[in-house]
Amino acid sequence: MAANKAKMILEKDFKIAEIDNRIYGSFIEHLGRAVYGGIYEPNHPQADENGFRKDVLELVKELKVPLVRYPGGNFVSGYNWEDGVGPKEKRPNRLDLAWSTTETNEMGTNEFMKWAKLVNADVNMAVNLGTRGIDAARNLVEYCNHPGGSYYSDLRISHGVKEPYNIKTWCLGNEMDGPWQIGHKTAAEYGRIAQEAAKVMKWVDPSIELVACGSSHRAMPTFADWEATVLDYTYDHVDFISLHQYYGNRDNDLSNYLALSLEMDDFIKSVVSIADYIKAKKRGKKTINLSFDEWNVWYHSNEQDKQIEPWSIAPPQLEDIYTFEDALLVGCMLITLLKHADRVKIACLAQLVNVIAPIMTENNGPAWKQTIFYPYMHTSVYGRGISLNPIITSDKYDSKDFTDVPYLESTAVYNDEEDTLTIFAVNRHLEEGLELEVDIRNFNEYEVIEHIVLENENIKQTNSAYKETVKPHSNGNAKCENGKVITVLPNLSWNVIRLAKQR
Ligand code: AHR
């Protein structure tokens, strides 16, 4: 019998918002083996006629990734997009100062757009506001989105792409608040350039949506002032402000580590407040939403990355091998994003392949799933519809940096077209199961059709190219009894309880 208890009430009319599917976005940067040796490896036995790895395409499709941010990241702040279009033999090798590597430009905008189409994803295109500015930004919008009859749209057509891509979502640079960024700026400097770039990009194509850079993470000394200043300049021209956050279990303190999603929750609430403050200050009508366009666990590879030979081409970089405990935190972070579906409309798990990624590849060998693949896949596949506002009571604990951490991290998604209800839940308890009772009220005639569980006795367990040890099973014990879902969530587990209306 589990000693710890939690209760949840789910009611069809307690809605947070319709989920914008873009919250299940991801990210491919020209960094390490994300592009070269990741999505693109022309000599691989699984390569298609474009050089794209078919095994990777399949795994990305399994994740149902709706949106991929590209081409950076720190990389974009030194990138000349013109280097990556046109005949491949004419494309230059460039020093990538962001990651001290050599970029061959073998892949560029058109190749990436082709790849994205194959995985049914839209692209969230970032422009360079580090070394470049409004001219390169507006030209790229013209190249990608203008139908024809102008210099850059005709250039695209001459590169074999007749129809415009109509890319909807664009990032105005990347992490411009960070001293590590090529072309780092003060908030006022960035605010002005972002304002002018946004203005002319929308003059080229008024249908696009723009993301202004927020802080690189919550602990940045300029956090909050940065967002307020940037939005003061850009409020009329942008649609989103970005958030980035990576976590790590550096002190090997699991209770504290799993509570970090509460910090993410605070971060989101703070940025919502700042965006609304600027709206109020301007007596504005428009609400600025949030694009959490980089989030994940990132720390395992920090030390090994110090050994990389400078200016190598596509070295293994940021290749975190994720443990089972990382998958639990990723699950908690996904639940947190869902709980803010009213304001977080875009989120990108950073990144997608090889670089802090759910999918790994061996050069010339197989592609494989990391532990974090599963919570990301489960939410992306089953978490489409309406994010419900669950009323939760749970036993709690205190950790080094947090008080009152609920053992239960949970939320639910209702899909009214398919008549399904899906509960996502993590039990943070290190040793004990958690007795969960979910009152499903007016979800009459709903029954549990599957209870997926990701669990492992070894919290440090990883997967590898040849052995997938951390993988889900469907033997969870959730069942419906008198209008309630009853279950015991195993200690340290990620759970997906799927219900469907019985016809
Ligand atoms: O995702 C890896 C890097 O993290 C990105 O290039 C940068 O934006 C962030 O600091």
Side-chain angles (χ1 to χ4, degrees), residues 428-455:
R428 289 189 175 102
H429 202 291
L430 303 196
E431 284 115 27
E432 289 170 18
L434 183 64
E435 247 179 58
L436 173 64
E437 188 185 283
V438 188
D439 179 343
I440 53 172
R441 302 269 164 123
N442 52 358
F443 286 98
N444 301 321
E445 300 162 38
Y446 277 64
E447 290 292 339
V448 174
I449 54 168
E450 190 179 18
H451 178 176
I452 304 169
V453 184
L454 189 68
E455 58 183 335

Side-chain angles (χ1 to χ4, degrees), residues 14 80 91 108 170 175 191 264 272 292 311 316 361-362 366 451 469 480:
F14 296 174
N80 299 329
R91 298 187 191 175
W170 295 74
E175 294 190 350
M264 183 192 202
V272 166
F292 213 125
W311 317 124
T361 68
E362 305 295 297
H451 178 176
T469 311
C480 278

Side-chain angles (χ1 to χ4, degrees), residues 27 29 73-74 99 174-175 244 246 294 298 318 351 356:
F27 180 25
E29 176 167 1
N74 297 341
W99 300 105
N174 177 71
E175 294 190 350
H244 290 183
Y246 297 98
E294 286 189 35
W298 173 16
L318 278 64
Q351 298 192 11
I356 42 175

